Structures are given as structure tokens and as C-alpha cells.
Amino acid sequence: MFFAVVAGVYWFLSDEQAGSLLLAFLAAASALLGWYLGRRGVAAAGGFGDREDAGPDDAAGEDLGVFDSASIWPVVLAVGAMLLGTGAIFGSGVLLVGAIVTVLAVVGLVAQTGR
Amino acid sequence: MTGAPAIPAAGARQRDRMGLVGWLTTTDHKRIGILYLATTGAFFLAGGLLAALMRAELATSAVDVTSRGTYNELFTIHGTTMVFLVVAPFGLGLANYLVPLQIGAPDMSFPRLNAMSYWLFLAGGLTIFSGFLSSGGAAPAGWTGYPPLSEIVYSPTTGMDLWIAGILLTSASSIMTGINLIATILLLRAPGMIMWRLPAFTWTSLVTSLIVLLAFPPLAAVTSMLFVDRRFGGHFFDVAGGGDPVLYQHLFWFFGHPEVYVMILPFFGVITEIVPVFSRKHLFGYTGFVLATIGIAAYSMAVWAHHMFTTGEVLNPFFSAMSFLIAVPTGIKFFTWIGTMWSGRLTFPTPMLLALGFMANFLVGGVTGEMVAAPPFDYHAHDTYFVVAHMHYVLMGGSVFAIFAAIAFWWPKITGLRFPDRIGRVAAILLLLGFNLTFWPMFVLGLRGMPRRVVAYPDQGEFTAPNVLASAGMGVLTVGVLVFVAALVVSWRRRDPAGDDPWGGNSLEWATSSPPPEHNFERVPPVRSIRPAYDLRVVTDGRAEDQPGDGATP
């Protein structure tokens, strides 16, 4: 709504088309987003976090999902990405090593998820 | 009051190994947060060293400390470091540590992605700095990397390419953290922690993450395009080949302006966490604060060309109007802080002193930003020291002061050790004095017409006195930083336990031990307001509400 007001003021003061149109579009897009979110009811997707009156007892024992334990693959992936980047600069040898390390890391990460 | 703990399914326990392997393989958000904070601290000292070299050079009008080419590398890597390797990652790293605690979650939504973000950030930073080791030196084209200077013809060295690679790595890191934070905040909130009870810092982290998702892809695109121009015969930004250097500026600043809000919004959150605690009052205008934050994020996407007024190729009135408007939500935040302090019972330990310094400095920075938002003024001030002063007032006087405040405030929580307040206050005063002595003269310099990114200036002219003052100020500032670091070292050596809630804080992180246990909470407290730790203290423990915490050693 703020944007709609601003758009109106801007149009009136500046008589300039492109910016006025952009601001009006911004207002319309925000309205659409707000309407959509309201309809979907973002809270409906949420769990106990979205209920004002929920207490710790309500979520007792609730499975929040898997929180991965320690993993070496993130740092390996970073090393691989760094080698890929510098390989693009310094030549195909480094690039190849980087590609291999990165692929290794991705495989490792996916395998860990599957476990 | 009983509550069964909300913990994840068994079988996913993190065993915090000690030693190097433990740190290399950790996926615990607290450890990753600590890695971020320590690494950004190290990069801050490195970037500060580069700044000190620049100020040493500019203390006299002659080219005596560095060579001309080296000076270009200094200001480029100083800017790149502070923007990409210090301020933005500190905000995201602090969010990494605090957000799960503040929302009552055991960890981030995607712990391995979290780890990946950190290691990519470190990789990017090292890549950028490795330019100094390369044969042609580091990137010389400014942290903004404008072509044609950054094209292969004028910057033929690999340092520039390493800069590009480093930026791509750190961009990937930030985008991943943004995704992780949004997922965590939307999905892992404790029971009762509805969106309108989120602490201020969590709100600003959420909005910052949204901006990151919108802003960083164009950066990745434009730096990749620059790389194609440089190494693969592209002509994106090269007029002779049908391209346009101004295209770079559009794409860069479409990223660059939201980026500066990425660099300030988490710190607005930090200040908004600190002020109520040391005013012993509830936060004034929480709803306004949240809406203003969202408003700033929305507007930040619409002002990018105010960095390009002098190209003559953008619609000045539109961008000027939008830039003026963006001060409105920021002003709302100032009223939030003032309203909170009004009739509060104020105390002034180190975090509060730094927060007040933040407000004063950011006010100057913000107002001067509005000045350059007017194209007629900007035509005079563009690419002069006026802009350098403005940006340092908001970024250093603002964000970096808030970084120091955040470290002082959350140090007891992260380490379990009390913060030495007397030393901290000395540091805060030195920082405030040194900072203003360094950067206020730069406004004068800019108005007198000294351009930025120049290694020398005319001897005995009107540029000399402000430059000397600024260089002297840098000395005071450096001492302030060192005193602050000394405070942390002293705290580490004293090993004085801080207790769970040394300051009398409001948000959930103060309702668990210092440092927090492996999955953050043995028992998540009930959440019925925006300050659940306060509620727990007053209602459950019966502590008188107006007792301030005693979180600092003298």
C-alpha cells in the first residue's frame, strides 16, 4: 500500500512515465504477493512454531528431521571449487584436478545423505 | 513449569571432535559461526593493514610509501576485503550462530550446506588475497572492478582473474547461507515462536537473506561476463566490439546497492537487540521496525543507479526520488531506538557505548547519503573523498561499530567468559574518536575536490591538512582496535565464567547455558512474547524485572 501511495505522489509530481509505471507495477506486484500468501495461509504450512499458544510439551518428541553429523565433504567441495576457479585461470591441469575433486565431493555428499 | 525437550530424532547426534579434524568436519552451526567470526576478524585486520598503508602513503603528498601500481592494489583489496570478506560474512556468520538459538532450534536446516558456505567463503578470500602472491600483483581496478580498467588490456595480470574467481566463490557462499537461513527461520521455529515474536536480529537476518538471493546472482553473472571478456574474447563491456561499459555498472550496482543493505540490516538487528537490554525496557515500535526492515529491502532493489548519476545514461529523477525515500524506513528504526531508550534505566557498558556510537555515526552517514542522492550535489561529489567519507560513516561507523558491539555483547554467550568492560570502554572511546578524526576530514577533502583512489595530491595545497588529520586519526583508530582485541585476550586468560544470562537479555539464546550445549537447549522455554528469556526470568525465577545483568568484569 505504501508503494501505491508513493506511486501516486511520484506520478503527480514528476509527470514522468517510466518511473511511475514501475512504481505502480511494484505496488500491484506486492499486492498480488500479499494476496497469494494470505490465501495460502503461510501459517498453515508451519508447525507448532506458528501457533501462538503452543508450548514446549506440544512438540515433545516431534521429529524435526535429520541434522547431519560431521562431514568432510563440505571442505573437500570448497577445495574443489577453488581449484576449478584457479584452473580456469591457470590452465587445464589445475582445472582437471579441480573437476575431479569437486565430483568426488558431490558423490561423497550424496552418499552421506543416502545413508 | 515443565516441558519435555524438543530434540531431533536420535541417530543424528553430532560428536564435537576436538582438534583440527573436528573443526574441518564440523556441521554444528555454533562452531561454523565461530569459524566465520574468527575468519572475518582476521580479514578485518588484514584489510585494516592495507588501509593503514594507504593512510601512511597519503599522510604526505609525495609518492613515498608505496608505488603507484601497488596503491591501486591496496585500495582494491581493502575495499574487496571489507565488503566481501568482513562485513557481509560477519552478519551472515553471526546469524549462523544466533538464529537457531534465537528461534529455539537445534541447528540450521541444512548443516552440511552451512559448512560448505563457510569453506567456500574461506576459499574465496584466500583466492582474492593470493593475487598479492601472483607475478603481476593483486587486482588493481577498485572493489567495483569497472571495465575498461578491469579488462585484459588495462589489467593484464592474473590478480584480476583471481579476484573474479574469489568473488564467485564468496557469492556462492553467501547465496547458500541465505537459503539456509530462510529455510531455518521458516521451518524450525520453537512452539509458540510465531513470526511476529521473532527477535529483531532474526527478522533482519531473514530479510537480509532474501536480499542476498535477489542481489548476488547478478554479481555472479557480471563477474563471469567480465571473465569471458578477459579470457575468452568476449565483448560484453567493450565498445569497439559492440558492448557497453555502462552495462557493467548497471549489473554491478543492481547487486551493489542491495549489498550495502545486506551489510547494514543485520547490524540494525544487533543494535536493536542491545538497546532494550541496556535500557531495561521493552523494545518500542517492534512492528514498525519489522515493516521498515522489509520496506528497506524492497526499496533497496530500486535505487541502484544512484551510483551512476554522472554517466548521463540513467533516469536521474527516478533514482533520486527512490533514494530519498529509502531514508524513511531507516528513520523509523532511529525512532525505535530512541523510543526504547526514552524513560529507560540506561546503563553504559561496552556494547551500549558502541551502539550509541553507531547511532551517531550512522546518522552522519545516512544524512550525507541523502545529500549525494541529489544529482546536482552528486555531480560535484561523485568519485571524490566525500563519497569515501559517506560510505565509511555508514559501513565503518555503522556496521563495524555494530560488529564490535556484537562481539562485546555475545562474547559471554559464545565463550562462557565475562567481557572486561573497563578495557572495552576505553576501546570504544578510542574507536569513536579515531574513526571521526579519520573520516570527518574526508568530507572536507571531497568538497574541496580531491578525487578518490589517487596515490598523491598537490603539495602545500588545500588537501594537505585534512589528509594529515585523517592519517593521524588512523593511528588512534588502530590503537582502539588493538585495545579491543586486548580485551578479548584478557577475557580469555582470566577465564571468569559469565553464567547463562550475564546482561539480562530478552531473546532465547540467553535462556540456555553459556556456551550452549550440543543441540542448543536441554529444554526450550515457552514462547509467549518477543522476549521469552525476560518472561522466564521475571515469571519463573521471580527476579525483579529492573535488575540489569552484571555481565562484565571491570
Side-chain angles (χ1 to χ4, degrees), chain B residues 72 75-77 79-80 139-146 149 160 163 248 453:
Chain B
N72 291 359
F75 65 67
T76 302
I77 304 299
T80 307
W143 81 273
T144 49
Y146 279 11
L149 179 59
M160 192 72 224
W163 181 88
Y248 181 95
R453 297 177 174 164

Side-chain angles (χ1 to χ4, degrees), chain B residues 154-177:
Chain B
Y154 297 105
S155 291
T157 62
T158 49
M160 192 72 224
D161 301 295
L162 287 168
W163 181 88
I164 293 174
I167 296 288
L168 286 170
L169 290 168
T170 54
S171 301
S173 161
S174 301
I175 294 173
M176 288 181 192
T177 304

Side-chain angles (χ1 to χ4, degrees), chain B residues 186-241:
Chain B
L186 290 183
L187 298 175
L188 288 183
R189 286 164 286 134
M193 178 65 81
I194 56 173
M195 294 298 285
W196 285 101
R197 287 180 188 155
L198 287 177
F201 181 76
T202 303
W203 263 116
T204 55
S205 298
L206 176 64
V207 175
T208 302
S209 302
L210 288 167
I211 300 177
V212 163
L213 290 188
L214 288 171
F216 273 83
L219 174 70
V222 76
T223 44
S224 306
M225 289 158 75
L226 183 64
F227 192 75
V228 166
D229 265 23
R230 287 174 58 81
R231 297 289 176 184
F232 295 109
H235 295 286
F236 285 112
F237 308 122
D238 143 42
V239 176

Side-chain angles (χ1 to χ4, degrees), chain A residues 1 15 19 32 78 82 93 102 113:
Chain A
M1 216 184 304
D15 227 11
L32 179 68
M82 189 173 175
T102 308
T113 314

Side-chain angles (χ1 to χ4, degrees), chain B residues 129-141:
Chain B
F129 270 88
S130 70
F132 280 119
L133 299 172
S134 72
S135 58

Side-chain angles (χ1 to χ4, degrees), chain B residues 54 89 110 117 120 132 138 157 160 168 217 363 408 420 451 475 480 500 515 536:
Chain B
M54 283 193 277
F110 304 115
S117 296
L120 281 171
F132 280 119
T157 62
M160 192 72 224
L168 286 170
L363 188 62
D500 293 359
L536 195 66

Side-chain angles (χ1 to χ4, degrees), chain B residues 5-47:
Chain B
I7 52 174
R13 301 254 176 215
Q14 156 104 35
R15 261 171 293 278
D16 257 358
R17 286 193 211 83
M18 299 308 293
L20 185 62
V21 174
W23 286 97
L24 280 176
T25 60
T26 186
T27 57
D28 173 15
H29 76 101
K30 297 186 289 299
R31 278 199 154 188
I32 293 172
I34 291 172
L35 284 171
Y36 263 106
L37 301 186
T39 310
T40 55
F43 278 127
F44 176 73
L45 295 175

